[in-house]
């Protein structure tokens, strides 16, 4: 698919860099000259735990462990589930005949920590305890560091997390909202956005810290962020502002929102649910499936077409705004996330923004691969592991 850019001429859709040929396995990282590195990735969700084994960049296998409500019911807090989920992971390893000891490192999804710079963090006892105490709130992603730490301790291997949701590299000027009581907060899909940014930088023959990019993660929430020389210097918090998405309202007319909140029709809990889970596409069309909305559009539903156009329109406006943050010096615009599979949505966005910079489309969200690549950069000594201290 050719997508025009400001420099003229068609730009080809991004194709992932081919993976290296599979090489002999070395059970532990051996430093310079090591033949191969085995890594176990762990990504906990609210009702599942995804695990995957990688040999360098090559995925050997993936599994999704489902957790029923009945199984999780005895745990008062999400962080209390760690021992239960570790045992489930070990059951899968035993079924596969996979020894935990062969892994050079364990990498987990980062949780709701206090604001921190992007990068790969060593999970030590302090960081694991912080996730156990949940300083930013209870969330399944907090289990990533806890599980990685305990598995790593069992085999005396390092544990890491990579680019958690709490990544904060915003400039001071970006934090002001217009009310001192309501600062703009940095939360977004940092793991996926930084991963695709690095991929596109490599495609351009450059390092991540050598390029300027605008990355739009199009999912259940939409995050758009400018990356300047390796830092995400601004971002719309998808829970609070920016484009509406599949289920989130995005930015709303402030005065009308205040009136609705004080109308007596909704409690605080109900309003938050309305904004975060019952807004956007769902509020207009009654579905959270963009494919269903497109099917309706193709069958002649004018309202479905209008709502999908508006979603793309708002995403394009946010991308345009973020190009001003970079003073128009943008090497690429990147569209990623689940909605980037939609040729209609990406086509509408490209129609509005391709004059600003060439557009690359990398659909989906390869969270497991992104976690592993972060660990590999440290194990290969391309980066130093960061240490988290609140």
């Amino acid at each position: 698919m050719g997508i025009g850019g400001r420099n003229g001429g068609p730009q080809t859709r991004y194709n992932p860099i081919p993976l290296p040929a599979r090489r002999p396995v070395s059970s532990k990282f051996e430093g310079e000259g090591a033949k191969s590195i085995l890594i176990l990735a762990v990504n906990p969700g609210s009702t599942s735990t995804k695990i995957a084994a990688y040999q360098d960049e090559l995925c050997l296998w993936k599994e999704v462990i489902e957790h029923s409500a009945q199984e999780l019911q005895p745990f008062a807090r999400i962080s209390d589930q760690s021992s239960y989920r570790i045992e489930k992971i070990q059951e899968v390893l035993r079924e596969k005949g996979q020894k935990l000891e062969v892994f050079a490192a364990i990498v987990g999804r980062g949780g709701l920590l206090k604001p921190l710079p992007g990068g790969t963090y060593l999970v030590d006892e302090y960081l694991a305890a912080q996730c156990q105490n949940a300083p930013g709130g209870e969330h399944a992603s907090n289990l990533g560091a806890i599980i990685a730490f305990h598995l790593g301790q069992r085999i005396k291997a390092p544990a890491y997390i990579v680019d958690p949701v709490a990544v904060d590299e915003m400039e001071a000027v970006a934090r002001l909202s217009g009310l001192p009581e309501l600062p703009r907060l940095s939360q977004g899909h940092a793991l996926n956005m930084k991963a695709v940014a690095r991929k596109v930088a490599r495609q351009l023959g450059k390092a991540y810290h050598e390029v300027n990019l605008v990355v739009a993660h199009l999912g259940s929430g939409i995050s758009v962020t400018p990356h300047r020389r390796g830092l995400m210097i601004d971002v719309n918090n998808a829970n609070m502002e920016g484009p509406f998405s599949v289920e989130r309202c995005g930015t709303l007319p402030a005065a009308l929102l205040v009136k609705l909140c004080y109308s007596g029709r909704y409690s605080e809990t109900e309003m938050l649910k309305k904004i975060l889970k019952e807004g956007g596409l769902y509020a207009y069309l009654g579905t959270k499936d963009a494919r269903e909305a497109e099917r309706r559009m193709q069958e002649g539903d004018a309202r479905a077409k209008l709502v999908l156009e508006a979603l793309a329109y708002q995403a394009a406006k946010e991308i345009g705004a973020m190009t001003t943050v970079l003073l128009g010096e943008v090497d690429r615009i990147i569209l990623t996330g689940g909605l980037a599979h939609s040729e209609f949505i990406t086509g509408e966005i490209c129609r509005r923004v391709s004059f600003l910079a060439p557009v690359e489309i990398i659909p989906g969200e390869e969270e497991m691969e992104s976690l592993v690549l972060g660990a590999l950069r440290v194990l290969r000594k391309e980066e130093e592991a960061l240490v988290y201290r609140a």
Side-chain angles (χ1 to χ4, degrees):
M1 173 178 171
I3 302 170
R6 64 181 175 184
N7 298 323
Q11 301 291 329
T12 56
R13 183 191 291 257
Y14 172 68
N15 293 313
I17 296 171
L19 294 173
R22 185 167 174 176
R23 294 172 292 176
V25 175
S26 172
S27 64
K28 292 288 183 180
F29 177 63
E30 300 168 2
E32 294 298 325
K35 292 182 178 179
S36 190
I37 304 172
L38 278 175
I39 295 175
L40 180 68
V42 180
N43 185 0
S46 57
T47 60
S48 68
T49 303
K50 298 176 185 176
I51 60 173
Y54 276 76
Q55 179 183 315
D56 297 323
E57 292 89 349
L58 177 66
C59 181
L60 302 178
W61 53 261
K62 289 182 181 179
E63 290 289 340
V64 179
I65 306 169
E66 302 290 348
H67 308 299
S68 69
Q70 184 178 7
E71 289 174 309
L72 299 179
Q73 193 274 333
F75 303 103
R77 300 173 64 225
I78 292 175
S79 54
D80 295 336
Q81 299 172 13
S82 57
S83 295
Y84 156 77
R85 295 206 190 205
I86 287 171
E87 178 54 35
K88 291 294 183 181
I89 291 170
Q90 290 183 310
E91 286 178 12
V92 172
L93 293 177
R94 286 194 291 268
E95 288 170 4
K96 291 183 173 295
Q98 181 83 75
K99 291 185 178 180
L100 185 63
E101 289 76 13
V102 303
F103 293 106
I106 317 292
V107 60
R109 181 73 190 266
L112 299 178
L113 297 160
K114 292 185 178 179
L116 75 175
T120 299
Y121 285 79
L122 179 69
V123 183
D124 56 15
E125 191 171 352
Y126 178 84
L127 194 157
Q130 287 291 300
C131 288
Q132 185 76 37
N133 296 329
E138 288 283 336
H139 193 273
S141 60
N142 292 337
L143 288 163
I146 301 169
I147 293 171
F149 176 74
H150 286 290
L151 290 177
Q153 287 290 295
R154 294 184 185 190
I155 60 174
K156 295 182 172 54
Y160 303 104
I161 60 171
V162 182
D163 292 328
V165 174
V167 167
D168 184 349
E169 298 168 342
M170 286 175 65
E171 295 183 320
V173 69
R175 299 182 189 277
L176 276 63
S177 68
L179 277 180
E181 301 97 317
L182 303 176
R184 295 184 67 240
L185 303 175
S186 177
Q187 281 194 350
H189 303 84
L191 178 63
N192 187 48
M193 291 193 292
K194 279 184 170 281
V196 297
R198 289 186 177 97
K199 283 186 176 182
V200 170
R202 287 202 307 271
Q203 182 195 20
L204 296 173
K206 297 181 179 180
Y208 176 41
H209 65 268
E210 296 176 326
V211 295
N212 286 349
L213 307 163
V214 175
V215 183
H217 178 100
L218 312 173
S220 57
I222 294 179
S223 299
V224 183
T225 179
H227 297 236
R228 186 180 67 198
R229 306 293 186 239
L231 296 175
M232 299 194 320
I233 59 174
D234 198 349
V235 63
N236 68 282
N237 185 324
N239 286 340
M240 301 181 184
E241 59 185 8
F244 76 74
S245 63
V246 169
E247 64 180 10
R248 301 182 198 176
C249 290
T251 300
L252 295 170
L256 295 179
L257 176 61
V258 171
K259 286 185 178 182
L260 187 60
C261 289
Y262 282 91
S263 67
R265 295 166 56 189
Y266 305 101
S267 67
E268 178 183 350
T269 300
E270 289 169 336
M271 276 303 305
L272 287 172
K273 183 179 180 183
K274 190 174 183 67
I275 290 170
L276 298 177
K277 295 294 183 182
E278 297 177 349
L281 194 79
Y282 179 73
Y284 289 112
L285 301 177
T287 180
K288 295 185 180 183
D289 189 340
R291 294 167 298 183
E292 166 67 13
E294 285 199 42
R295 183 189 62 77
R296 293 186 202 174
M297 177 187 69
Q298 291 163 359
E299 293 176 354
D301 187 329
R303 184 169 176 79
K305 184 174 187 293
L306 176 63
V307 173
L308 288 169
E309 285 178 340
L311 185 152
Y313 172 85
Q314 290 198 2
K317 279 207 304 183
E318 193 73 19
I319 291 169
M322 292 305 185
T323 65
T324 70
V325 174
L326 297 172
L327 305 178
E329 297 178 3
V330 184
D331 295 296
R332 289 291 188 275
I333 294 167
I334 306 172
L335 307 181
T336 187
L339 292 181
H341 285 289
S342 167
E343 291 189 6
F344 177 80
I345 290 173
T346 57
E348 285 294 296
I349 294 173
C350 290
R351 186 167 67 87
R352 295 184 181 277
V353 305
S354 59
F355 73 96
L356 296 167
V359 180
E360 304 284 356
I361 302 175
I362 308 179
E365 184 173 3
E366 293 295 331
E367 293 178 338
M368 306 304 271
E369 177 189 5
S370 302
L371 291 172
V372 170
L373 291 175
L376 284 172
R377 287 192 296 272
V378 169
L379 294 171
R380 291 170 174 167
K381 303 187 184 304
E382 297 168 3
E383 294 179 9
E384 288 189 16
L386 302 175
V387 177
Y388 174 81
R389 292 293 181 267

